[in-house]
Amino acid sequence: MEILTGNELMSGATVYLDRDGHWVEGLQQARVFLKEEAEARDAAIAATKKTMRINSLEIETVTLRDGVIHPDRIRERIRAEGPTAPRFDRQHLDKDGHVSI
Amino acid sequence: MYRYDEFDAAFVRERTAQFRDQVNRRLSGEINEDQFRPLRLMNGLYLQLHAYMFRIAIPYGTLRSKQLRKLAYLARTYDRGYGHFTTRTNIQFNWPKLRDIPDMMEHLNEVEMHAIQTSGNCIRNISTDQFAGAAADEIIDPRPVAEILRQWSSLHPEFSYLPRKFKIAMIGAPSDRAAIKFHDIGLKAVTNDAGEIGWEVWVGGGLGRTPMIAKLIRGYVAHTDLLAYCEAIVRVYNRYGRRDNKFKARIKILVHEAGIDKIREEVEAEFAQTKGGVLTLPQAELDRITTYFAAPDFERVNATQIDVLREKELDPAYGDWLERNLHSHRQPGYVSVTISLKPVGGAPGDATDEQMEAIANLAENYSFDELRVTHEQNLVLPHVRVSDLREVYDTLVENGLATGNAGLITDMIACPGLDFCSLANARSIPLAQEISRKFQDPQRQRDIGDLKIKISGCINACGHHHVGHIGILGVEKKGTELYQISVGGDGTEKAAIGDILGHGFVADDVPDAIERLVETYIARRESADEPFIAAYRRLGDAPFKEALYGAQ
Ligand code: SF4
């Protein structure tokens, strides 16, 4: 299973593509693409690239446990939550930082 | 300190205006990220895991109070109230927003600072001894020559797209406090047979994936010829350095593959062409630049013996600080003070805006307005009167900056690692915090004595783990962080690369593993005067391996 993630242009904040085509802050809102949804995933990537507003666009593999998304890589878990030490809140989107496809 | 002339000032202003326009074009969609990325990197702006990271140059680690105050202002206004001092003596902000960067640059320009060449395949910030111009053992203050090299290497048209980044370090004293043998070019001040001071030139050192100790390429280069000689080296590198493989592109690989004799031959041939030409450094120009670094107006006071033992009786914390955080000054009655950015449980190299303000005030009031950043991620007040030490210390205490641990086990280098860095495999900072908590007892730290632990979150080695007496390298294995421990590295004139002792440890087990190494050292040292690194050299790695992995 996969999700799409990237960093929003203005703030650099970590964002995820949700089910409605919005790029949002919450990992748990991310749209999970199944193996057979590769076409939809690639279409979403292409549409995102057109916005020119999401950088470092990546496909991340995740596992769903009890409906909760767990990124497989520790890097992604840290990206989702913010630095662990010193503990800082993650970067948030500015008012004009909302991107949709 | 060097002051910008009108050309410097106009140049950085123009660069900022240019970058403002580039940001606007990126925000309006006129240029895309592929077009914008090289432009932002040329101006020190990276995109990391959580946000942008803005890296600002601190040439040869020297700052004025006004400049540190400006950094505090930037931290407070555009970031989250702190900055991170790096092993290249720069500062990084971890949370700026893209549209604020041109304003931040404008603020920097006001105090003669910028972020140019803090990224990219060009000649990066030149680093040097944090005690330059102050150290008792110094032959020459390296900063005027560092400034000349900075000017030569800034926007050098031929060297803006080298095969890879290029780092120069220099030291004006016999003790190497700048790790020159781990740089692309290392320069060490020496005296020739005629009694003239010039430079011993080392080339091809570096850390990273393939750590190498630099090789001596020339025993003596006069000031007059230094630019021409460096130009010859970089030109040979630019011509022959590998561009086909990023991991083999540094000059260290070229020197290793071609051999130092061949490289020397090439450099000498090139030098024969450039020597005596436009790059000859006139004495008058060297003298002009040197005036910027003239010794401050020291008060004539008698040499003052500091009675550390007595002070320890009266106030142990102050006594410890005096014992560890002072460095001998060439001017009687003065010392250099290391301000540790390694409090127990802290993130190495981080300072809050308030701490930066407090340190700037101290520099202004007690150190002739001067400050230094060390490659070990501390700050230094270079010229403090011995009679002012107590007041300086008390202010440091008020600001949480009085940790008396310079050179001790808790004075660790740690790179940002996986908490911030997009290239990381594992976290560095939490490990440093755990180790410092484990060894927080000041008495125990002093019993252990000089011991440098250096931690990197990936093989790029920004945390200099290869040259840690104990080095820790984070790797990723099957989705978890694992840490390889090496022992015996040394970044000084006795340059050595640490030996990896065996398989890696999970994070939770690292502090105990470090403790076992330390206990082995204490049990086997000849006396408390034999430091860890000397004991390791005498004993070899067998007892340390056994400490970590049991009898083989
Ligand atoms: S060593 Fe690796 S993890 Fe650490 S700062 Fe450098 S690139 Fe990032």
Side-chain angles (χ1 to χ4, degrees):
Chain A
M1 275 178 283
E2 293 167 344
I3 58 168
L4 294 182
T5 181
N7 293 81
E8 188 274 327
L9 174 66
M10 312 264 198
S11 59
T14 300
V15 282
Y16 305 92
L17 183 71
D18 76 3
R19 287 168 212 86
D20 304 321
H22 304 306
W23 280 89
V24 297
E25 289 186 8
L27 167 66
Q28 296 311 324
Q29 272 85 62
R31 169 172 178 187
V32 176
F33 293 90
L34 303 174
K35 224 184 188 158
E36 52 275 23
E37 291 177 300
E39 222 169 276
R41 179 203 65 193
D42 292 346
I45 291 174
T48 300
K49 282 189 176 159
K50 271 200 192 131
T51 70
M52 291 171 58
R53 297 276 302 273
I54 304 296
N55 293 331
S56 306
L57 183 55
E58 286 192 59
I59 304 168
E60 278 299 321
T61 57
V62 296
T63 312
L64 263 187
R65 285 198 291 272
D66 300 328
V68 177
I69 299 172
H70 293 272
D72 292 349
R73 292 202 297 168
I74 181 165
R75 179 184 199 269
E76 279 314 305
R77 299 199 287 276
I78 293 173
R79 276 186 82 237
E81 285 166 29
T84 64
R87 187 93 196 112
F88 279 108
D89 184 20
R90 46 155 298 143
Q91 185 84 316
H92 293 289
L93 293 169
D94 290 334
K95 275 198 277 309
D96 54 359
H98 296 282
V99 181
S100 301
I101 57 174
Chain B
M1 267 185 72
Y2 180 70
R3 309 303 293 246
Y4 279 12
D5 59 23
E6 72 265 34
F7 299 106
D8 301 321
F11 171 72
V12 293
R13 267 202 316 272
E14 279 164 24
R15 174 59 87 90
T16 296
Q18 187 184 49
F19 191 62
R20 188 182 290 284
D21 183 53
Q22 289 159 350
V23 169
N24 287 340
R25 285 158 63 207
R26 176 69 183 97
L27 294 177
S28 72
E30 196 183 318
I31 54 175
N32 64 27
E33 188 62 16
D34 287 342
Q35 293 162 320
F36 182 61
R37 189 183 305 107
L39 302 174
R40 69 168 158 76
L41 287 173
M42 275 179 206
N43 291 289
L45 187 64
Y46 289 71
L47 182 56
Q48 295 286 39
L49 290 184
H50 311 285
Y52 290 98
M53 181 271 278
F54 189 34
R55 181 183 294 154
I56 295 158
I58 302 179
Y60 34 91
T62 300
L63 280 171
R64 290 196 299 273
S65 317
K66 195 169 144 187
Q67 293 175 316
L68 187 60
R69 254 182 223 122
K70 184 62 92 176
L71 295 173
Y73 172 81
L74 295 182
R76 192 163 51 239
T77 313
Y78 299 104
D79 208 85
R80 295 198 183 175
Y82 76 103
H84 174 76
F85 290 97
T86 75
T87 51
R88 285 221 60 71
T89 74
N90 292 319
I91 188 169
Q92 296 178 176
F93 290 117
N94 287 319
W95 305 98
K97 306 277 175 76
L98 179 57
R99 69 158 64 80
D100 291 334
I101 301 293
D103 291 346
M104 293 175 84
M105 285 167 126
E106 238 168 53
H107 280 290
L108 289 170
N109 298 165
E110 281 170 15
V111 293
E112 304 181 358
M113 293 182 84
H114 61 70
I116 300 165
Q117 286 185 211
T118 59
S119 173
N121 293 338
C122 52
I123 299 175
R124 303 284 191 90
N125 193 22
I126 293 159
S127 52
T128 189
D129 180 10
Q130 65 269 29
F131 303 123
D137 64 344
E138 190 168 85
I139 302 172
I140 187 178
D141 180 351
R143 290 171 305 157
V145 175
E147 172 55 30
I148 287 164
L149 285 169
R150 185 191 72 80
Q151 296 189 13
W152 159 76
S153 61
S154 293
L155 301 188
H156 192 304
E158 190 181 330
F159 302 147
S160 292
Y161 292 97
L162 293 169
R164 217 42 197 99
K165 57 189 166 184
F166 200 91
K167 299 173 181 177
I168 301 175
M170 50 202 311
I171 178 85
S175 299
D176 182 0
R177 292 179 285 265
I180 63 158
K181 290 186 187 164
F182 295 97
H183 283 74
D184 298 286
I185 292 179
L187 300 171
K188 178 181 171 193
V190 287
T191 310
N192 69 6
D193 295 341
E196 296 152 341
I197 296 171
W199 299 93
E200 192 176 87
V201 184
W202 295 76
V203 71
L207 299 170
R209 190 172 297 268
T210 323
M212 300 263 185
I213 298 175
K215 314 235 171 10
L216 184 65
I217 188 164
R218 209 175 212 263
Y220 185 86
V221 176
H223 294 309
T224 351
D225 295 330
L226 189 65
L227 288 182
Y229 196 75
C230 288
E231 176 118 339
I233 293 174
V234 188
R235 184 167 292 160
V236 167
Y237 167 56
N238 203 18
R239 188 181 305 149
Y240 297 116
R242 291 181 59 169
R243 290 175 188 268
D244 60 322
N245 182 342
K246 189 178 165 197
F247 301 125
K248 298 199 169 172
R250 297 289 290 268
I251 194 174
K252 63 188 172 186
I253 304 293
L254 179 66
V255 171
H256 180 71
E257 287 183 350
I260 184 66
D261 293 334
K262 174 74 182 143
I263 296 299
R264 184 181 296 116
E265 209 177 279
E266 293 281 347
V267 169
E268 287 296 331
E270 193 60 53
F271 181 49
Q273 307 273 322
T274 44
K275 190 175 188 272
V278 289
L279 286 173
T280 303
L281 177 62
Q283 187 61 41
E285 179 60 6
L286 180 59
D287 292 345
R288 186 182 76 82
I289 299 288
T290 302
T291 55
Y292 289 112
F293 299 92
D297 208 1
F298 292 121
E299 217 174 87
R300 285 187 175 277
V301 284
N302 290 333
T304 325
Q305 199 67 33
I306 304 171
D307 192 346
V308 174
L309 286 179
R310 181 172 173 275
E311 298 293 350
K312 275 190 176 194
E313 289 283 316
L314 298 170
D315 179 347
Y318 180 52
D320 288 349
W321 180 82
L322 289 173
E323 189 176 59
R324 294 305 312 189
N325 291 32
L326 305 187
H327 193 267
S328 307
H329 203 285
R330 64 181 194 205
Q331 180 72 23
Y334 284 79
V335 286
S336 300
V337 169
T338 298
I339 300 173
S340 169
L341 299 181
K342 321 288 173 61
V344 169
D350 280 8
T352 66
D353 60 325
E354 285 169 5
Q355 288 177 325
M356 288 190 245
E357 295 275 2
I359 295 168
N361 291 343
L362 282 175
E364 197 167 62
N365 295 328
Y366 298 102
S367 185
F368 298 94
D369 204 27
E370 260 196 62
L371 278 157
R372 307 286 167 75
V373 184
T374 83
H375 82 274
E376 294 185 327
Q377 302 180 285
N378 291 316
L379 297 177
V380 163
L381 298 169
H383 317 293
V384 178
R385 247 184 353 205
V386 170
S387 53
D388 289 335
L389 283 171
R390 182 76 219 197
E391 283 166 54
V392 168
Y393 174 76
D394 288 341
T395 307
L396 292 175
V397 170
E398 281 164 26
N399 290 281
L401 290 163
T403 317
N405 64 347
L408 293 177
I409 188 167
T410 55
D411 182 10
M412 275 168 277
I413 289 182
C415 78
L418 192 54
D419 281 303
F420 294 94
C421 175
S422 60
L423 301 173
N425 290 323
R427 283 170 287 175
S428 308
I429 298 169
L431 208 56
Q433 291 173 319
E434 281 313 310
I435 295 169
S436 84
R437 286 191 192 106
K438 184 158 203 81
F439 292 95
Q440 64 181 285
D441 175 11
Q443 183 56 44
R444 185 168 186 215
Q445 289 187 49
R446 281 198 311 285
D447 288 347
I448 298 166
D450 290 345
L451 208 175
K452 291 182 192 294
I453 297 183
K454 302 182 196 261
I455 310 173
S456 305
C458 82
I459 195 64
N460 289 324
C462 305
H464 297 184
H465 65 277
H466 297 295
V467 293
H469 299 159
I470 297 176
I472 303 175
L473 165 66
V475 295
E476 188 188 358
K477 212 168 180 189
K478 294 185 188 141
T480 54
E481 298 157 297
L482 218 58
Y483 296 90
Q484 265 176 8
I485 297 180
S486 56
V487 180
D490 188 344
T492 71
E493 62 282 2
K494 293 186 188 135
I497 293 163
D499 303 311
I500 298 171
L501 294 184
H503 63 71
F505 293 84
V506 295
D508 285 349
D509 294 342
V510 173
D512 284 345
I514 303 299
E515 187 160 50
R516 294 204 295 280
L517 293 175
V518 168
E519 291 304 331
T520 302
Y521 151 66
I522 292 193
R524 307 286 292 264
R525 67 186 177 188
E526 283 179 331
S527 74
D529 292 334
E530 186 185 39
F532 181 94
I533 186 67
Y536 176 79
R537 287 198 182 116
R538 179 174 57 79
L539 293 163
D541 61 11
F544 296 95
K545 254 189 188 155
E546 192 178 331
L548 291 188
Y549 305 107
Q552 303 285 307

